[in-house]
Amino acid sequence: MDYEAYHRRSIAEPEAHWREQAALVDWQRPFEQVLDHSNPPFAKWFVGGTTNLCHNAVDRHLATRGGQNALVWVSTEVDREVTYSYRDLHAEVQRMAAILLALGVQPGDRVLIYMPMIPQAVFAMLACARIGAIHSVVFGGFASQSLANRIDDARPKLVVSADAGSRGGKVVAYKPLLDAAIDFAQHKPERVLLVDRGLSAMERVPGRDVDYAPLREQHLDAEVPVTWLESTTPSYTIYTSGTTGRPKGVQRDTGGYCVALAASMRSIFRCEPGETYFCTSDIGWVVGHCYIVYGPLIHGMTTILYEGLPIRPDAAIWWRLVEKYKVTAMFSSPTAVRVLKKHDPALLKQHDLSSLRGLYLAGEPLDEPTAQWIADGIGRPIIDNYWQTESGWPILTLANGIDGVAPKTPKFGSPGLPMPGFDVRLIDDASGEELTEPNRKGVLVVAGPTPPGFMQTVWGDDARYVNTYWKTVPGKSVYSTFDWGIRDADGYYFILGRTDDVINVAGHRLGTREIEEAVSGHAAVAEVAVVGVADELKGQVAMAFVVLKDSSLAADAAGALKLEGEIMKRVDETLGAVARPARVRFVTLLPKTRSGKLLRRAIQAVCEGRDPGDLTTIEDPSALQQVRDLVATR
Ligand code: ATP
Ligand code: MG
């Protein structure tokens, strides 16, 4: 069968398709209905069935692979490597679950997890799933105000945290940030469970704060049975990256998510149980939830939890791990690859990477020079995949692991084709009409019913879910991704950037991504952000902010001017003079979210002399200061 036919059937007969996939997971009680779409846009999957994420990720593997490594923790921050077999993981999760129960956590209660990349964070997630508590993992790099906002939104009964994380060898104390966040927040969690790593002294609030280690000792032999949950019971909430504004609390179900992930492990990632998966994301992001924790474990794989930078002790560390653990699938981001790109490419060649069948990249547009660089460097296939916190698993990529379905060839610059169950369409934003002919640019939308794994709603706010996502195209009820896309004659999609990142130069609508790609084609460029800035004459002009591989090239005015001219010429040649940035400015750092996404809206606001708005998710405020300084000097 060709993939297109397989995909068409998944859309035409969603119930048949997903009934088959549901056999990949264990059900305690079989479902009565595959899909309930009686109240669109809300889609309920596997209604009436009961299952449990923790059972599927841990318990069900005990009989066949109890001694196999489930979790390998590698920390280059504290120089430790610890492995947990499925049996060990089962014991640790039960201990953690017993502690949560002892601290009063009940099914449906929220547990906020504010943790560095340590095994106890994974135990806590799985323990919540085991007892039916809803976890809300907040990225450990967030400071107090961001954390306070999320505490108020999730209203957790309990917070699990630690004394400190570590980044680049420097201790980052978490506890004072957590205390300040709880002070800021309106909602006060009843209890705080603390993992003391001995990295940073911490104060305990009497009656509220408790230490994990002594409690674990008390519960060494804990046996906590799985709580069977109806498929549509919420399993967790997670916040979007906040690239475009106030983060949204995405709510996920139990059964649909479990099935979607189980299916993706083979169809997309081409993995077999017993193999090793290495996802370099953070557990605080959706990619980490899916492909550090749940996906690989549901599939009976070994998963690597890595605490550290990609360039420490040197930029070969990830490849050393691939060789050592015979990783078969690796998941990372274009941002991370761009970090490696500033280092010697010879470091990519020091290790035997023959086990690796693919490096999967997501989170941001994968520009061709970056893709080519890493493909040449590691000599393994690079697979782009496009998705969102909301979608729960990839919307567009290549599903080359489906039995009996002919594989598709990747195309540079394209994440690929819609995944089974995703009814992806392009909408002309002016007319609201669907674009059916190839090579037309439109807003990428998903028509309902949304597939298993997709968000159920915005936590606590059904109206926000409907109004934010489903009411953007007049007269049509479709989910908007807020991204621009184009589909070629072979059905491959290309992502052209976010709908709020379009530049309108004298009536020409240009995606920031197109211009960025042209700029990054210049050999000296490591990274670039292009934004549209209001202009009296042309409506808007493009402004480019560039990080050079070697910043000394633009250290003096003459060097900068020469490079600016070269880069403009490059854009003229690839896209035409209309796309040429009005200015190309050089910075050493671009403003990004903590998840590594460019904060174009903030750069744009600064360029236009406006207030950049909510900056709680910014990685390093000094990056925006550089932009401010440049704009001030003209
Ligand atoms: P917020 O919704 O809070 O503004 P965010 O959209 O950055 O933040 P995420 O859900 O983490 O939060 O990111 C999803 C977005 O990332 C997509 O909508 C798209 O813009 C971008 N993206 C993800 N993967 C790709 C990819 N492979 N190619 C191009 N863009 C991608
Ligand atoms: Mg988004």
Side-chain angles (χ1 to χ4, degrees):
M1 195 192 316
D2 64 7
Y3 178 72
E4 285 79 359
Y6 183 87
H7 180 260
R8 267 196 308 278
R9 178 191 175 242
S10 77
I11 302 301
E13 298 168 44
E15 274 139 330
H17 175 83
W18 290 109
R19 183 188 294 282
E20 289 158 19
Q21 307 305 313
L24 294 169
V25 314
D26 279 2
W27 297 90
Q28 159 75 4
R29 186 176 75 210
F31 43 88
E32 288 142 22
Q33 206 182 350
V34 179
L35 168 66
D36 173 2
H37 199 223
S38 57
N39 179 27
F42 302 94
K44 295 181 175 175
W45 289 98
F46 311 117
V47 182
T50 58
T51 183
N52 183 287
L53 280 169
C54 182
H55 166 83
N56 277 287
V58 184
D59 301 48
R60 77 160 164 155
H61 304 305
L62 292 173
T64 45
R65 48 188 82 250
Q68 177 198 311
N69 280 347
L71 181 69
V72 175
W73 178 52
V74 178
S75 173
T76 52
E77 294 292 338
V78 296
D79 267 324
R80 288 198 63 192
E81 257 177 66
V82 184
T83 58
Y84 298 86
S85 67
Y86 272 96
R87 247 193 310 278
D88 298 334
L89 184 61
H90 185 237
E92 292 296 352
V93 169
Q94 293 191 91
R95 290 166 191 151
M96 183 66 88
I99 294 172
L100 297 184
L101 290 172
L103 293 173
V105 175
Q106 308 263 327
D109 283 345
R110 274 79 57 209
V111 172
L112 190 137
I113 300 174
Y114 179 65
M115 293 275 259
M117 292 279 283
I118 55 175
Q120 289 77 9
V122 176
F123 305 159
M125 291 170 75
L126 291 167
C128 286
R130 190 171 193 85
I131 63 174
I134 300 171
H135 61 67
S136 182
V137 183
V138 174
F139 176 56
F142 280 137
S144 302
Q145 191 57 57
S146 315
L147 181 55
N149 295 344
R150 289 159 174 79
I151 290 176
D152 276 335
D153 193 70
R155 286 173 289 109
K157 176 141 206 188
L158 173 124
V159 175
V160 187
S161 191
D163 58 335
S166 175
R167 196 172 145 85
K170 281 209 296 279
V171 170
V172 184
Y174 279 30
K175 183 61 174 27
L177 297 176
L178 174 63
D179 287 341
I182 295 175
D183 277 348
F184 280 140
Q186 303 280 307
H187 172 88
K188 308 291 177 199
E190 284 169 28
R191 309 304 295 263
V192 173
L193 176 64
L194 293 162
V195 176
D196 189 352
R197 308 177 70 190
L199 293 178
S200 173
M202 57 179 165
E203 280 171 23
R204 278 88 169 159
V205 175
R208 187 194 74 182
D209 298 356
V210 278
D211 272 65
Y212 164 76
L215 283 172
R216 180 178 171 279
E217 288 302 314
Q218 283 174 28
H219 293 283
L220 274 185
D221 302 319
E223 284 180 25
V224 178
V226 156
T227 301
W228 298 106
L229 303 168
E230 200 274 337
S231 175
T232 61
T233 312
S235 59
Y236 68 76
T237 66
I238 181 172
Y239 295 89
T240 61
S241 293
T243 310
T244 51
R246 185 161 69 98
K248 300 165 276 277
V250 165
Q251 178 184 316
R252 197 89 63 210
D253 75 349
T254 297
Y257 182 60
C258 195
V259 170
L261 288 186
S264 75
M265 293 313 298
R266 190 166 273 137
S267 63
I268 299 175
F269 299 104
R270 296 173 294 161
C271 290
E272 295 295 330
E275 295 179 348
T276 303
Y277 197 100
F278 179 20
C279 171
T280 71
S281 180
D282 189 281
I283 46 156
W285 310 125
V286 70
V287 172
H289 280 60
C290 298
Y291 297 116
I292 296 174
V293 183
Y294 290 113
L297 294 177
I298 287 170
H299 201 47
M301 298 181 72
T302 302
T303 186
I304 297 181
L305 179 74
Y306 176 71
E307 180 185 45
L309 300 178
I311 52 169
R312 216 174 145 267
D314 62 45
I317 175 64
W318 284 355
W319 316 112
R320 199 173 306 145
L321 294 178
V322 170
E323 177 178 58
K324 177 166 179 187
Y325 292 103
K326 300 205 170 34
V327 171
T328 58
M330 185 166 166
F331 197 131
S332 193
S333 66
T335 312
V337 174
R338 285 186 208 110
V339 169
L340 298 179
K341 215 171 149 189
K342 292 176 192 155
H343 295 259
D344 185 356
L347 291 167
L348 305 176
K349 305 241 183 245
Q350 289 176 348
H351 295 279
D352 176 8
L353 307 182
S354 56
S355 62
L356 192 65
R357 286 194 292 267
L359 170 62
Y360 296 81
L361 299 175
E364 272 213 301
L366 177 61
D367 59 283
E368 227 179 291
T370 300
Q372 197 64 61
W373 182 84
I374 189 71
D376 292 346
I378 65 172
R380 312 306 300 159
I382 308 300
I383 303 106
D384 190 1
N385 60 117
Y386 162 86
W387 47 306
Q388 306 184 304
T389 310
E390 293 88 338
S391 70
W393 57 290
I395 300 173
L396 300 172
T397 185
L398 300 176
N400 282 348
I402 303 171
D403 285 342
V405 175
K408 305 291 293 184
T409 330
K411 287 192 191 190
F412 263 131
S414 164
L417 303 146
M419 288 301 93
F422 279 105
D423 187 356
V424 175
R425 307 189 188 184
L426 291 171
I427 302 283
D428 182 278
D429 74 317
S431 67
E433 292 304 311
E434 188 180 336
L435 300 170
T436 46
E437 61 279 41
N439 302 322
R440 299 267 316 269
K441 183 155 97 190
V443 182
L444 197 88
V445 304
V446 176
T450 50
F454 202 89
M455 73 187 290
Q456 288 183 295
T457 185
V458 171
W459 170 250
D461 199 345
D462 285 353
R464 188 172 176 208
Y465 176 57
V466 175
N467 293 327
T468 306
Y469 296 105
W470 291 86
K471 293 249 177 321
T472 60
V473 182
K476 280 199 180 66
S477 184
V478 286
Y479 168 90
S480 178
T481 62
F482 301 104
D483 288 310
W484 293 104
I486 202 165
R487 182 180 52 236
D488 72 8
D490 300 326
Y492 285 66
Y493 284 80
F494 294 77
I495 303 297
L496 304 177
R498 296 167 186 263
T499 51
D500 52 1
D501 283 343
V502 159
I503 307 182
N504 193 333
V505 184
H508 300 272
R509 297 171 63 78
L510 305 160
T512 48
R513 155 133 203 233
E514 299 165 85
I515 307 179
E516 284 168 3
E517 195 138 324
V519 171
S520 55
H522 190 289
V525 174
E527 251 185 299
V528 54
V530 169
V531 298
V533 176
D535 181 85
E536 270 179 31
L537 226 56
K538 299 183 176 167
Q540 266 187 323
V541 292
M543 287 284 200
F545 292 88
V546 166
V547 178
L548 294 169
K549 287 180 191 151
D550 173 4
S551 62
S552 70
L553 288 176
D556 59 83
L561 205 64
K562 175 166 171 285
L563 263 180
E564 178 168 20
E566 284 177 23
I567 289 172
M568 286 179 171
K569 185 152 168 276
R570 172 111 211 159
V571 176
D572 287 4
E573 285 164 3
T574 24
L575 293 173
V578 57
R580 182 199 304 158
R583 288 300 312 265
V584 179
R585 320 293 301 250
F586 300 99
V587 290
T588 57
L589 199 66
L590 289 168
K592 289 187 181 169
T593 62
R594 299 298 312 235
S595 58
K597 289 156 187 288
L598 278 175
L599 279 162
R600 293 196 193 79
R601 76 183 156 89
I603 305 178
Q604 181 187 44
V606 166
C607 289
E608 294 182 343
R610 287 182 289 113
D611 173 11
D614 185 355
L615 288 176
T616 48
T617 60
I618 196 166
E619 159 96 15
D620 182 345
S622 78
L624 200 59
Q625 194 53 45
Q626 288 193 30
V627 174
R628 234 179 245 123
D629 295 345
L630 280 171
V631 172
T633 60
R634 286 275 147 208

